[in-house]
């Protein structure tokens, strides 16, 4: 199945490689670099690239490319899911999935990859099993290992590996028993010139942080579970219970994990929280143009929209921009032609705007089309789809845990056409 794995940074350097079956030359990555050059953006690199003798399947996470080399037919989503598991494991072990963190812990990285794949097939991918097999790095453990020459690999087989609940280890004990859930939703939308919605969709996840003693059995119910489409579950969830009652019933893993991910694709259920008034004009045979945008809250949901940034890829003929923001600050890079306006919070009493002149190359033809506005924002304590957790019940243990739910809405790929 998976023959090799290459980790590539944004500069195109292969800084780590691992081979399971046979050594595959780094030159196979040239096909990946060609596809990367053709793609306008890093996120547009094709996830599956066919070469004469191999398939390259890749993901992009935290400014790193994880590129796997396959020699036989295999379901691509299976490999993509495994690569995300690898990135999640690095995040869990080192606190971040960055080039520096991986280089600092290169021995543990190779030990993890050796346990996660056996002869190219996934073996142990659950975080709690891996932590029993390979101890997470600490300063003291690193010092002891360097003096004694010992490794982080444990001596005994994890208890969860042999049970029918491989995601949870036995004998978990906590002084404070807590269960927290984060409902995080991202809005992907395209808004046309007139302000009408061309496309809108919500991508949502429920992330859990469970620190409960023993072997608890949890049931999580929602006020309106019929909203959810294309639900993807953690293996711990009993699917038949969800199908019949729309209730999430599960014995949870210990620690942080993604419980479900889902989609809300019905456009009439997707509320667009911001609107943009824009006037961008370039005059024929003139070396200047006008730029004027105002942003405001659309739905009065009683929640503050914060962390707003507007990014605009201006046409190549633009030399510079002299703008005045009523709120926040802006930067314009004359090389990449990218305008970035950091707005911050919106207060409905005074709507933020950015106005001014655009300097163009003299004699250059007028740009054929106006640029698109890419918007980022965040709304705390709100799930824009209207999804609400009803209650969390626990069976199998006698203590009362502390429970909490947090809601966050963010912009995903949110574009306004001008």
């Amino acid at each position: 199945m998976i023959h090799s794995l290459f980790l590539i940074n944004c500069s195109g350097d292969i800084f780590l490689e691992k081979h399971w079956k046979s050594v595959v030359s780094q030159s196979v990555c040239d096909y990946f670099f060609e596809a990367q050059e053709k793609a306008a953006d890093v996120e547009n690199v094709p996830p599956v690239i066919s070469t004469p003798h191999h398939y390259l399947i890749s993901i992009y996470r935290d400014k790193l490319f994880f590129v796997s080399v396959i020699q036989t037919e295999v379901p691509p989503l299976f490999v993509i899911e495994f690569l995300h598991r690898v990135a999640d494991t690095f995040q869990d072990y080192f606190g971040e999935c960055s080039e520096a963190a991986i280089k600092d812990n290169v021995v543990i990285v190779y030990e993890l990859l050796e346990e996660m794949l056996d002869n190219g097939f996934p073996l142990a991918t659950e975080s709690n099993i891996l932590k029993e097999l390979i101890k997470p790095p600490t300063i003291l453990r690193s010092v002891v290992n360097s003096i004694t020459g010992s490794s982080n690999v444990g001596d005994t087989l994890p208890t969860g590996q042999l049970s029918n609940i491989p995601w949870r280890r036995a004998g978990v004990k906590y002084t404070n028993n807590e269960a927290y859930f984060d409902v995080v939703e991202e809005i992907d939308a395209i808004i046309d010139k007139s302000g009408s919605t061309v496309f809108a969709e919500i991508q949502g996840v429920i992330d859990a942080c469970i620190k409960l003693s023993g072997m608890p059995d949890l049931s999580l119910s929602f006020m309106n579970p019929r909203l959810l489409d294309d639900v993807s579950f953690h293996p711990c969830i009993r699917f038949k219970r969800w199908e019949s009652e729309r209730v999430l019933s599960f014995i949870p893993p210990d620690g942080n994990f993604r419980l479900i991910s889902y989609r809300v694709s019905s456009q009439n259920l997707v509320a667009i929280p911001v609107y943009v008034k824009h006037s961008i004009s370039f005059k024929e045979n003139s070396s200047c143009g006008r730029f004027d945008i105002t942003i405001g809250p659309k739905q009065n949901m009683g929640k503050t929209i914060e962390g707003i940034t507007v990014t605009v890829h201006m046409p190549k003929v633009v030399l510079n921009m002299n703008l005045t923001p009523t709120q926040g600050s802006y930067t314009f890079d004359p090389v990449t032609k990218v305008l970035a306006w950091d707005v911050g919070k919106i207060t409905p009493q005074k709507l933020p705007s950015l106005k001014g002149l655009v300097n163009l190359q003299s004699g250059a033809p007028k740009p054929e089309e106006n640029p698109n506005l890419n918007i980022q924002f965040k709304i705390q304590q709100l799930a824009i789809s209207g999804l609400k957790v009803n209650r969390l019940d626990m069976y199998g243990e006698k203590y009362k845990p502390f429970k909490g739910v947090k809601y966050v809405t963010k912009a995903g790929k949110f574009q306004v056409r001008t």
Side-chain angles (χ1 to χ4, degrees), residues 4 24 42 57 116 122 136 139 144-145 169 179 222 232 255 274 335 344 348 396 401:
S4 303
V24 178
V42 286
I57 299 180
M116 292 182 83
I139 295 169
V144 171
N145 288 354
R169 59 195 170 93
F222 301 99
S232 169
V274 295
V335 179

Side-chain angles (χ1 to χ4, degrees), residues 17-49:
E17 59 184 281
K18 169 74 177 148
H19 308 281
W20 282 274
K21 291 190 174 183
S22 55
V23 176
V24 178
S25 168
Q26 286 190 359
S27 60
V28 76
C29 292
D30 292 345
Y31 296 100
F32 174 79
F33 294 135
E34 279 176 30
Q36 193 180 358
E37 279 178 27
K38 287 177 189 171
D41 191 19
V42 286
E43 291 182 356
N44 294 334
V45 177
V48 181
I49 299 165

Side-chain angles (χ1 to χ4, degrees), residues 288-305:
C288 71
R290 291 285 308 167
F291 186 93
D292 181 353
I293 58 173
T294 304
I295 192 163
K298 194 171 187 181
Q299 307 285 345
N300 188 12
M301 292 166 287
K303 305 286 182 189
T304 307
I305 303 172

Side-chain angles (χ1 to χ4, degrees), residues 234-254:
H234 187 278
C236 69
I237 289 171
R238 299 179 180 101
F239 184 59
K240 284 206 168 146
R241 179 96 189 266
W242 170 260
E243 274 196 311
S244 59
E245 301 175 39
R246 285 290 190 264
V247 169
L248 296 177
S249 172
F250 57 100
I251 293 174
D254 184 38

Side-chain angles (χ1 to χ4, degrees), residues 31 48-52 54-56:
Y31 296 100
V48 181
I49 299 165
S50 178
T51 75
H54 304 90
Y55 295 102
L56 303 182

Side-chain angles (χ1 to χ4, degrees), residues 30-286:
D30 292 345
Y31 296 100
F32 174 79
F33 294 135
E34 279 176 30
Q36 193 180 358
E37 279 178 27
K38 287 177 189 171
D41 191 19
V42 286
E43 291 182 356
N44 294 334
V45 177
V48 181
I49 299 165
S50 178
T51 75
H53 302 291
H54 304 90
Y55 295 102
L56 303 182
I57 299 180
S58 64
I59 64 165
Y60 182 69
R61 282 279 296 265
D62 301 301
K63 298 183 180 174
L64 298 177
F65 285 102
F66 291 71
V67 182
S68 61
V69 181
I70 318 290
Q71 284 190 337
T72 53
E73 281 283 341
V74 64
L77 286 175
F78 188 66
V79 180
I80 287 168
E81 175 62 25
F82 173 76
L83 294 177
H84 279 295
R85 286 285 180 101
V86 171
D88 290 339
T89 303
F90 291 167
Q91 177 89 34
D92 198 19
Y93 263 72
F94 314 133
E96 58 176 347
C97 181
S98 66
E99 184 182 355
I102 290 168
K103 282 181 174 176
D104 288 346
N105 299 282
V106 72
V107 174
I108 294 176
V109 166
Y110 277 109
E111 288 171 349
L112 284 168
L113 292 174
E114 200 63 54
E115 293 296 341
M116 292 182 83
L117 270 194
D118 182 28
N119 196 33
F121 289 88
L123 180 66
T125 57
E126 286 295 336
S127 181
N128 67 302
I129 288 177
L130 287 167
K131 282 180 178 172
E132 284 187 68
L133 281 166
I134 297 156
K135 303 286 186 286
T138 61
I139 295 169
L140 179 61
R141 196 171 286 137
S142 303
V143 172
V144 171
N145 288 354
S146 61
I147 294 168
T148 61
S150 57
S151 78
N152 285 23
V153 180
D155 301 326
T156 55
L157 190 68
T159 51
Q161 190 81 309
L162 303 171
S163 77
N164 62 351
I165 309 169
W167 53 83
R168 188 173 182 85
R169 59 195 170 93
V172 183
K173 283 186 181 172
Y174 288 102
T175 48
N176 293 325
N177 292 288
E178 303 165 328
Y180 298 110
F181 296 91
D182 288 353
V183 180
V184 182
E185 295 191 339
E186 287 193 353
I187 306 176
D188 296 337
I190 297 173
I191 313 296
D192 69 8
K193 283 183 181 180
S194 60
S196 305
T197 304
V198 176
F199 164 83
E201 187 176 80
I202 294 169
Q203 307 278 356
V205 297
I206 298 180
D207 288 328
C209 176
I210 307 286
K211 295 182 178 177
L212 299 174
S213 307
M215 197 65 75
D217 198 327
L218 303 181
S219 286
L220 186 72
S221 60
F222 301 99
M223 298 274 202
N224 38 9
R226 305 275 164 198
L227 288 172
L228 309 181
D229 301 322
D230 292 347
V231 186
S232 169
F233 302 97
H234 187 278
C236 69
I237 289 171
R238 299 179 180 101
F239 184 59
K240 284 206 168 146
R241 179 96 189 266
W242 170 260
E243 274 196 311
S244 59
E245 301 175 39
R246 285 290 190 264
V247 169
L248 296 177
S249 172
F250 57 100
I251 293 174
D254 184 38
N256 298 306
F257 65 100
R258 179 151 293 172
L259 187 65
I260 65 168
S261 54
Y262 60 89
R263 206 161 59 92
V264 178
S265 54
S266 178
Q267 285 209 14
N268 55 352
L269 292 174
V270 182
I272 305 295
V274 295
Y275 69 86
V276 181
K277 289 180 180 172
H278 47 81
S279 172
I280 301 171
S281 59
F282 305 107
K283 292 173 188 167
E284 198 74 61
N285 303 322
S286 172

